[in-house]
Amino acid sequence: MTGLHVDPLDALRLSAGSQRPRRLRRTAALRDLVRETTLAPDDLVSPFFVVPGHGMRNQVSSMPGVSQLSVDLLSDEVRELESLGIKAVLLFGIPSAKDPLGVESYAEDGVVQQAIRVLKDATPELVVMTDVCMCEYTDHGHCGLLDADGYVLNDETLEVLGRIAVSHGEAGADVVSPSGMIDGMVGAIRAALDAEGLERVAVLSYAVKYASAFYGPFRDAAEGAPAFGDRRSHQMDPANAREALREASLDVDQGADALMVKPALGYLDIVRAVRERFPELPLAAYNVSGEYAMVKAAAANGWLDERAVVLEVLTGIRRAGADLIVTYHAKDAAAWLQEHS
Ligand SMILES: [Zn+2]
């Protein structure tokens, strides 16, 4: 407190004291009232890895709590998500057989196509999104057709991506999500869908996808690790930000209905930049497998409070500018959010 003699510095501190942001943090109700960023179950998209067969539930060892599921187990799982307020899933398929051309990716009775039909039957309100890429379906594990040197061919791959998207749309998918960072993929898919009368199917483009080491656990889950080489000839260099805006802009021009940035946590500046450059388009961010695995591992060791950290991470991604978050924490987070309210 001030004494009789107030020196000039104390006087300054006193006048600064009229600005006290802590006033609005004093009670939980005040904090709720002035919170800038919301997080709700319907902001979350839950990914699934669908495998052939019956009664299959294969734990993914590097992603505790995540399993590959066969189609017959999928609908119960998804009904549970719906009861928690989650409105969307993103499907990845693990085919019964892989080959250099990834032909099962667009088979009418492929594992994802079956899963879409089952889900549209069991939970018609659910938004079914599908990953559109070749890497889970090719025996070499690359995202497209290869030339003799193992380089991912661009324009030849576009035709296959169009076929995959059409097969998903015909099965009933609401949204297709090309993830291969193949130049022209959004335009090719849009044209292929429209040519088959599938104008209703939306394209959520993985517009900005980095060649990230955080995808490691996903490759166990999706069994899509490249047999040789890496994905740096098509995915973006983690050091680049301006290029992200170029990628997003190309996809907007080609008719993307929504954009995605992947991964999320190391790239929140990119989420913000894309949000600001394209305010009119919904933006998704993918809270990827490695980000999930880090939290799960630390929590399992008792080093972090999982619930608090997950909600903080997801709120941070929303605050950076994402409307939607694809996350393996979706079910847990939705349950925690329901307890909150
Ligand atoms: Zn791929």
Side-chain angles (χ1 to χ4, degrees):
M1 291 308 294
T2 56
L4 285 176
H5 305 287
V6 180
D7 78 28
L9 195 58
D10 278 342
L12 276 174
R13 285 195 189 111
L14 274 177
S15 71
S18 67
Q19 293 287 337
R20 294 183 185 273
R22 290 183 54 195
R23 285 183 192 119
L24 296 178
R25 299 177 199 142
R26 192 170 51 83
T27 70
L30 279 167
R31 293 192 293 274
D32 286 348
L33 203 63
V34 299
R35 184 160 300 124
E36 298 174 30
T37 305
T38 59
L39 178 67
D42 60 7
D43 300 325
L44 307 177
V45 179
S46 184
F48 280 98
F49 302 100
V50 192
V51 289
H54 269 266
M56 304 288 284
R57 182 184 291 273
N58 312 326
Q59 270 283 336
V60 180
S61 60
S62 52
M63 300 174 71
V66 174
S67 298
Q68 300 173 332
L69 291 175
S70 54
V71 172
D72 57 312
L73 298 185
L74 197 57
S75 8
D76 280 350
E77 191 68 29
V78 165
R79 275 197 200 97
E80 204 183 330
L81 290 183
E82 272 201 321
S83 74
L84 293 168
I86 292 174
K87 304 277 170 72
V89 297
L90 174 60
L91 302 180
F92 296 88
I94 292 105
S96 50
K98 304 190 183 211
D99 63 78
L101 305 179
V103 296
E104 223 178 292
S105 60
Y106 50 83
E108 200 190 327
D109 60 350
V111 70
V112 163
Q113 290 81 356
Q114 289 179 40
I116 299 166
R117 291 195 177 91
V118 164
L119 288 180
K120 276 293 158 194
D121 232 31
T123 49
E125 302 293 311
L126 180 83
V127 176
V128 176
M129 304 182 174
T130 59
D131 182 77
V132 174
C133 196
M134 292 180 66
C135 47
E136 290 119 55
Y137 299 89
T138 51
D139 53 6
H140 46 69
H142 282 284
C143 299
L145 303 172
L146 300 182
D147 71 8
D149 299 325
Y151 181 77
V152 175
L153 292 163
N154 199 88
D155 298 8
E156 293 80 350
T157 298
L158 291 177
E159 201 239 310
V160 184
L161 296 182
R163 278 200 207 186
I164 300 173
V166 165
S167 74
H168 292 177
E170 282 175 342
D174 300 288
V175 180
V176 292
S177 277
S179 61
M181 294 295 282
I182 306 297
D183 292 337
M185 64 184 185
V186 171
I189 285 172
R190 185 73 270 159
L193 288 169
D194 292 354
E196 298 299 325
L198 293 165
E199 293 89 355
R200 65 166 175 78
V201 178
V203 178
L204 163 60
S205 177
Y206 288 66
V208 183
K209 183 177 180 182
Y210 287 93
S212 170
F214 282 91
Y215 306 148
F218 174 93
R219 288 175 188 169
D220 296 338
E223 299 174 15
F228 56 89
D230 54 42
R231 305 209 206 285
R232 282 183 278 192
S233 82
H234 44 109
Q235 297 176 351
M236 273 184 56
D237 183 337
N240 291 0
R242 296 189 302 268
E243 188 189 3
L245 297 176
R246 183 181 188 210
E247 282 285 0
S249 159
L250 289 170
D251 285 6
V252 172
D253 290 347
Q254 290 168 40
D257 298 289
L259 302 172
M260 176 141 62
V261 173
K262 182 180 181 179
L265 289 186
Y267 300 85
L268 293 179
D269 58 326
I270 308 300
V271 172
R272 166 58 51 186
V274 174
R275 160 88 295 151
E276 284 178 357
R277 180 71 71 90
F278 303 100
E280 69 277 17
L281 259 72
L283 178 61
Y286 203 133
N287 177 216
V288 301
S289 59
E291 298 167 356
Y292 175 83
M294 288 195 302
V295 171
K296 295 299 276 191
N301 277 292
W303 298 338
L304 284 178
D305 173 346
E306 181 177 352
R307 171 184 171 143
V309 164
V310 167
L311 295 177
E312 183 176 333
V313 159
L314 297 176
T315 301
I317 298 169
R318 290 265 300 142
R319 191 193 61 239
D323 301 299
L324 307 174
I325 306 169
V326 183
T327 178
Y328 305 98
H329 297 294
K331 186 175 166 184
D332 289 338
W336 294 326
L337 289 167
Q338 271 199 347
E339 287 170 26
H340 257 295
S341 53

